[in-house]
Structures are given as structure tokens and as C-alpha cells.
Amino acid sequence: MAVTIRDVARESGVSISTVSRALASPEQVAEATRIHVQATAARMGYRPNRNARSLITGRSGSIGLVVPDLENPFFGSVCKGVQARARAAGYTVFVADTDEDPTVESEIARSLIKQVDGVILCSPRTTDDEIRALTTETPLVLANRRLDGVPSIIFDNGGGLVAVMRHLIALGHRRVAYAGGPRASWSNAQRAAAFRVFADEQVHGELELIDLGNFPPYFEGGVQAADLAVASGATAVVGYNDLVALGILDRLRQRGLSAPEDMSVTGFDNVAVSTFVRPNLTTVDLPRQQMGRMSVDALLDLVLRDSQASTNESMPEQAADAASGVLQELAVDLMVRQSTGVPSGPGGRGATHQLLDAGV
Amino acid sequence: MAVTIRDVARESGVSISTVSRALASPEQVAEATRIHVQATAARMGYRPNRNARSLITGRSGSIGLVVPDLENPFFGSVCKGVQARARAAGYTVFVADTDEDPTVESEIARSLIKQVDGVILCSPRTTDDEIRALTTETPLVLANRRLDGVPSIIFDNGGGLVAVMRHLIALGHRRVAYAGGPRASWSNAQRAAAFRVFADEQVHGELELIDLGNFPPYFEGGVQAADLAVASGATAVVGYNDLVALGILDRLRQRGLSAPEDMSVTGFDNVAVSTFVRPNLTTVDLPRQQMGRMSVDALLDLVLRDSQASTNESMPEQAADAASGVLQELAVDLMVRQSTGVPSGPGGRGATHQLLDAGV
DNA sequence: CGAAACAATGAAAAGGTTTGCAGAATGGCG
DNA sequence: CGCCATTCTGCAAACCTTTTCATTGTTTCG
């Protein structure tokens, strides 16, 4: 049998309450007693029963994390960040994998609710309404997705895409294609939108942008997109993510084309493998672990506020605003590597202009 | 406030006990009552408080999983398998990341013990003694490491390495190098041992095996090993894992050598990226998710047995043997791809023999 | 018809902890 | 010297559920 607080109390000759206080709120107990009790507890190897504690405090000391696919290194990174920060704050983490299935997502989240203080939904595939419903049942924060009124941690997808486009334009590209991700993906919507509005808000009259359509966000999707990119006459193709970009690179090579000479290629994510291939992939680095850490911070803010709200009614307004439905956007970095370069059509940059003029 | 069993009891006009039974052990309650109570509970959205339940039953319905690095896709896969199987069995999973630090490993495991029914240690970096100590405190199973007396799920590392060697020998290689992983790695010990004994138990008098030493199990480790491999005069190099193999491939290309013409290269793990590079990597596929699933099965066996042991003393002997300290070895598959081929030294295979004869 | 077995339900204890409240002890100050 | 304030400690309730035991009512069989 495990050693309980009762055993420690008997052994050290004080009451249960004193033991509890000596360990949980040391300032309330005389120094001599405190030291004695703490020593006894340590000697006996006492560890409070978390269930009993949770039962009375109403807090479990753990949080839930729901991700679509643990096998995907992207979520592995986020998960690592979440785990590290939670542990530092004395919380443990339940992890659930939805296998990319939107329907099991909310079901899993609901099954977690009862045993956690709050939930982080990372890249959820379910609907806005469903997420909002969940919000009424538990403290919840969104990672890699934005929803008004729900604390959300997102990457600056638009900024990342703009950085990519500027880079390509600076190199001389005037005909650029976008190989999109899944239609239902929130990240893809962000990136595709930034791609589309780019021509409008910039003053590049001669810039031609081609949307190649939606592809599976894997290597195979890129393979598929590569041929369309070549046929489009683009000199550069922006992949939805690194995997797609790698697929494009591979298919190009297979067709005897080389990057960046015949086609510049970019990705998104900066997964480790993007430096393992030749040419190294120019891509946008996303601070994934930081997203995990910030999600935990936001969630713990929420949890803390909730628990205070019931006892302490005087809360500064701006503090409430600061975290209730707040949006935090993480800056991203363009990593310029080998897969992008000056377009080398016949005659170089001038020829590209000609090509455009000819309406090809 | 959440709805408790008391509310349901009052609402449906029965006692607390009846509600509890109607939901947990329906066969003990009259059909009419059962239906009525279940309906009322469902209507009120009643969910049992897991803490209260755990407090009295002593079981938490969750298990702990400790891994060295969540960002490593290898552990992501195992984790996914664990998560899936646990969920199917009605268990939830705590995940902890030790950041490859052996000292925090047991500390983390201990902090989990109090809130889980059992623990899975995946690729633990700590000592045998420490693991054994943990065994006395909680049901525990080992994934990707073997320890006598502790249920262990491992890959057939030796078999995998033998398959690789046979493949290389069949291609005509007679001088093969091994680029090892970390000295402290259990997997590496297995593979290195298999590599060393290979020459002895096989009858390949002319076979020369070169141990290049230990390298970090990452891309950079492979880069480092590549030059040594070239200098050793080997025609094939076996990497500790895929990342090392990829590093070797990259460094070879950088030096103007090509695989498999100038050097055959193999890996271990079959991570997704091994098919993203050219040449595709010949490697050993490890059923990682299955390792996760089997770990859960083994752990749940253990948990179930423990809880029965206290009540029911009559247990068949062989059943106890079957899972108490049992070792389960998962078969692995050689995936032959593009990075291995016939050695093409000057004059082909014959020349290799000459080379060996010359003592080079 | 009576007794015994059985099915269904309720009362109550138990599980380990936190915490409000009250009592005791100590010290300071008038 | 006496009173009050302060500090420390203990008692007991509360958290929500499961489970044992007892009770009631019903059925079956001798």
C-alpha cells in the first residue's frame, strides 16, 4: 500500500492538516514543524494522491492536447513544446491523436475534458461551430487556427508567403505558381489568400500568378503538382509545405529538369529533411515548439482566470481582454537555401519578359 | 457546476447506488429502472467524475508513455501506436518527453506513476538498475530495449542487420563498413554485435568488416562517417539509422562520389524521408506503430494481472509466465531500394577481390 | 401454505486530500 | 499583571464515486 498523508501525520506526531499545510503552503506553519514534517514525508517517500487532491480542489494539474497526426514531425514539434512548458508549470499532458478524422476530434476532446483543466486543439479539422461548442465546456485554446473569441496562436502565414514572393521577385521571377494544400486546410486558405492578394497590393504589373489547385499535403502531392507547374510556364513554384516542395523537386529531377536552374521551388515549415536533400530547400521556418509553449501559456492564463473569477470579482478589464479571445501571431522566417535562384530561361530575365508578352 | 450522480439520483427518483449500478454494471438492475436511469443521465449530460472513481477503485484509466524526443519521427510513430491502442481499450495516455536526458527520465517516470495504471518506457536512456527500481513501483513495460524480468518489446535488430549483410554480400561486396550510433544506445549495441559476429558465424573467409566507430545518430553523424568510410576502402557502408545513412549519401555526393556506383549505403528505420531522396535509401523497416500497440497490450496484461492477483489467487502458472517477464521480438523487413548495388571498382567484382588480396 | 432462495434496491462506509473554523499557545503592550 | 493580537495547530466537513451489507419484496418449491 502507498504511504498516505495519515501515515506521515502519525509518524511525525502532528495532525493531517498540518502535514497538508507543511507541504502545500509552508508559510502557514512554524519553521520547526515544517522542517520536521517535510523531512518525515521525504523519508517515507510520501507523494500526495492526485485523485484525492483533484477531487477536492477541482483542478487536475493536467492539460489535454489534441493533434491530427503524431507521426507528422510538425505535430511532434508542437507537442514537444507543449510538453516542456506544461512540465515546467507543474502540469502533465494528455495527448490524443485524431488520425486526421474531423468527426472523432470533438469526441476525443470531450472525453478528455473531464480529466483535464483545459484543452489545446492543434490544427483542428472540425468546424468553427463545433469548436465554439467545446469552448463552453472547458477552457480551450487553438493552435495553428484562428477563431474569433477563442484564444488562438497562429503563424504569420501571410507574412511568410509575402517573404517568399518578394524573394522570388527579387530574383527576377515574373511567373510564379502556387501548389496548394488541402481545400479544407485553414493554413492553406491563409497562404492561398496571401498569394492571391499579392498581385493586387504590390505594384508589379507584369507579375503573373498561377494557382495550380489543391494537392494532398504529402510528397506525392508535390509529384503530382510538378508537371502542372512545368506546363504552366512558371519559372518558380511555391509549395504548400516542405513535403509538397520535395515532391516537386523529385519529379523535376526525374524529368531531367534541375532546380533552381529550370525551376525555383519553395516550401513551408522548414522540416529537418529540407536540409537533407540537394538542392537544400528554400522554405519558411515556423517556430513550432514556440507555438506549443505559447499555447500552454495562453491556456494556463485562461485556467487561472477561470478559477479566480469564481472567488475574486475584481479583475482589471484589460487583463480580461488580454487573454480571453486574444490572437497571437508568431513571426516566421524565410530560410533561403539552394532551391531558389535567378530564372535562366533562354536569354535570362529578359527572355522571361518576352515569354510573358507572348502570353505563354 | 457539473452534474453529479446525486443529481441524477434525485431527478430519476432512485438512490445513488442504483444510478451507479445502472451505468457501471447494468445487469444488476431491473430493466425498467435501468432504462429510466440511463435516459435521465444522458439527458442531464452526466459524466462520472474520474477522480472520485479513481480514488475509490485505485485505477485511473490512463497510462504513461515516456520517450526521449517527440520531435523524432521514430517516437512519433510509436506514440501514435500507443495512443491508438490505448484509446481502443478505453485508456488515455500521458506523454512525457525527456529530451534525451537520462537523469530526468526516471524522475519524470516517477512523477507519472501516481496518476497512471502503468508506464511504458520507450528507448530509455537510463540504467538497468534504475529501470528495475521503477518496476517495483508500478507496472512497467519496455519498448525498444530488453531487460530480463521486465516485459520487453523489441525489434529483431540482429535479424535486420543480417538481412542487410546478406543483401550486400549477394551483390558482391566483400569489404563492408559499419557507421555506429551512440555508444550508450541499446539498439546500436544490438546492431554492432550482429555486425561483429556476422563474419564468424557465416562462412565468408574473404569478407572484411570495418567498424568505423560511434557517431551521433543524426544527419551530421553520417556526414562525419562518410569520409572515414571512403578512406577505409569499403565498397558498402551500413549506417546505424536512416539519418546517418542520409548524411553519408549527402557527403558522398558532395565529394563527387555517387551511390550505389562508388559506394552502397544502407540505413535502419525506414523513415518516410528515405524515399524522398535520390537514390532512395535501402533500409530496414521497423514496425514502429506495432511496437506501440504491443507495448500497450503487454502493459494492460500486467495491470489486469496485478489487479486480479489481489483478489483471485488461483492463476494458471503458464499465464503468469506468458507476460510477467516476457520478451517479444518484432520481425523487421529489408527494403531494397536504389542506394545499394553491385560494387563497380575498376574491373568490377573481380577487382574487388584483387583489392582485398592486395591487403588494401 | 410456509419457508427458503432470489432479485432489486437503499443506506452507509470508504477512499485521501484540502480548507474553513475554532481553539490553544505565545508574545507584546498598556 | 491582564488583555489583546497574533501565530500555530487540530477538528471535521466536503469533494464524488464505488461497493459491501442489509433490507424489502417477490418467486419458487417442498
Side-chain angles (χ1 to χ4, degrees), chain B residues 131-351:
Chain B
I131 293 174
R132 260 187 247 278
L134 248 22
T135 308
T136 66
E137 304 178 34
T138 184
L140 183 145
V141 342
L142 247 31
N144 201 25
R145 174 152 163 183
R146 174 188 182 164
L147 185 56
D148 283 337
V150 182
S152 308
I153 320 288
I154 60 173
F155 296 119
D156 182 8
N157 283 301
L161 202 114
V162 167
V164 168
M165 293 301 291
R166 286 213 174 122
H167 168 64
L168 292 173
I169 290 169
L171 286 171
H173 295 273
R174 292 295 177 268
R175 195 169 172 85
V176 178
Y178 177 65
R183 200 176 303 273
S185 158
W186 183 85
S187 298
N188 181 59
Q190 294 271 299
R191 293 171 200 174
F195 181 77
R196 277 193 294 271
V197 303
F198 193 79
D200 304 342
E201 68 184 18
Q202 307 288 329
V203 196
H204 296 281
E206 74 274 39
L207 189 62
E208 279 202 57
L209 300 180
I210 304 147
D211 191 337
L212 299 177
N214 299 96
F215 303 91
Y218 311 116
F219 186 82
E220 291 72 22
V223 173
Q224 189 183 335
D227 296 329
L228 301 187
V230 171
S232 76
T235 60
V237 53
V238 176
Y240 163 66
N241 67 11
D242 285 351
L243 263 39
V244 167
L246 293 176
I248 294 174
L249 282 176
D250 194 63
R251 179 63 177 171
L252 288 178
R253 172 172 20 214
Q254 198 180 334
R255 290 187 51 175
L257 300 169
S258 61
E261 291 77 10
D262 299 309
M263 177 90 76
S264 284
V265 179
T266 73
F268 234 98
D269 280 3
N270 193 25
V271 296
V273 50
S274 55
T275 62
F276 296 173
V277 297
R278 298 289 161 168
N280 285 177
L281 189 64
T282 293
T283 186
V284 177
D285 179 64
L286 307 181
R288 303 186 288 272
Q289 286 199 33
Q290 198 191 343
M291 168 167 278
R293 290 194 298 268
M294 293 189 65
S295 302
V296 173
D297 288 343
L299 184 61
L300 260 31
D301 261 17
L302 215 57
V303 170
L304 208 65
R305 180 162 303 105
D306 276 11
S307 66
Q308 282 184 343
S310 50
T311 61
N312 178 12
E313 285 302 327
S314 68
M315 183 172 52
E317 276 307 315
Q318 73 276 20
D321 282 357
S324 66
V326 113
L327 175 73
Q328 299 190 65
E329 196 173 63
L330 270 47
V332 303
D333 284 317
L334 177 66
M335 313 294 284
V336 176
R337 300 209 184 96
Q338 303 167 341
S339 69
T340 48
V342 173
S344 65
R349 179 174 166 170

Side-chain angles (χ1 to χ4, degrees), chain A residues 14-15 17-18 21 28-30 33 55-56:
Chain A
V14 297
S15 76
S17 332
T18 304
R21 277 186 284 251
Q28 288 187 30
V29 57
T33 329
L55 182 56
I56 189 163

Side-chain angles (χ1 to χ4, degrees), chain B residues 22-40:
Chain B
L23 300 173
S25 38
E27 72 284 358
Q28 288 186 32
V29 58
E31 187 175 0
T33 329
R34 166 165 37 94
I35 293 177
H36 177 221
V37 170
Q38 284 174 346
T40 317

Side-chain angles (χ1 to χ4, degrees), chain A residues 202-221:
Chain A
Q202 307 286 328
V203 196
H204 297 280
E206 75 274 37
L207 189 64
E208 279 202 56
L209 300 179
I210 303 146
D211 191 336
L212 298 177
N214 300 96
F215 304 91
Y218 311 116
F219 186 83
E220 291 70 22

Side-chain angles (χ1 to χ4, degrees), chain A residues 69 71 77 80 99 250 278, chain B residues 69 71 77 80 250 278:
Chain A
D69 179 17
E71 217 159 13
S77 297
K80 191 180 178 92
D99 243 338
D250 194 63
R278 297 290 161 168
Chain B
D69 179 16
E71 216 160 12
S77 297
K80 192 180 177 91
D250 194 63
R278 298 289 161 168

